[in-house]
Amino acid sequence: MWYVIQTKTGDEPLLKDLLKELLRSESYRQCFVPLYEEVRRSGGKCRIYFRRFFPGYLFVDTDQPEEIFRTLKRTPEFTRLLGVKEADGMT
């Protein structure tokens, strides 16, 4: 199942690397920040830029969202794991 982790814009790669360090590899299948290519022409030259498709969001494929949620609650970069019911009843 896919879950979305909300974080501060710009902290997505930092949180992704932090998850790789803190979580067991069996806890999730894939974790990524969706990017897209943007081509800009300036002075007759084309430049390719990689931009975040959803700034402030990280996607994770897991069957154990509770474990990821508990780990994320201990990190300052984390804001919210969308799709998981929190103790206060909020999702």
Side-chain angles (χ1 to χ4, degrees):
M1 183 106 182
W2 287 99
Y3 292 89
V4 179
I5 301 169
Q6 184 180 22
T7 189
K8 292 183 276 183
T9 300
D11 284 351
E12 303 93 335
L14 174 68
L15 186 57
K16 178 184 169 189
D17 293 341
L18 192 60
L19 284 176
K20 284 184 180 181
E21 285 180 31
L22 297 175
L23 291 172
R24 298 174 301 123
S25 61
E26 304 86 38
S27 300
Y28 65 98
R29 287 178 284 284
Q30 191 175 10
C31 182
F32 67 95
V33 178
L35 302 174
Y36 69 94
E37 289 183 11
E38 181 178 299
V39 179
R40 289 192 176 181
R41 195 171 298 210
S42 176
K45 294 182 180 181
C46 289
R47 292 189 140 162
I48 298 174
Y49 297 91
F50 290 95
R51 307 266 186 217
R52 289 178 192 89
F53 201 67
F54 301 106
Y57 294 95
L58 183 72
F59 291 73
V60 64
D61 182 15
T62 183
D63 291 329
Q64 301 172 11
E66 293 82 14
E67 181 179 346
I68 292 175
F69 180 73
R70 282 192 303 272
T71 302
L72 288 171
K73 286 301 263 187
R74 297 187 307 243
T75 65
E77 292 81 9
F78 168 67
T79 304
R80 175 180 279 173
L81 180 61
L82 305 178
V84 174
K85 196 168 256 194
E86 296 185 27
D88 62 3
M90 300 297 290
T91 56

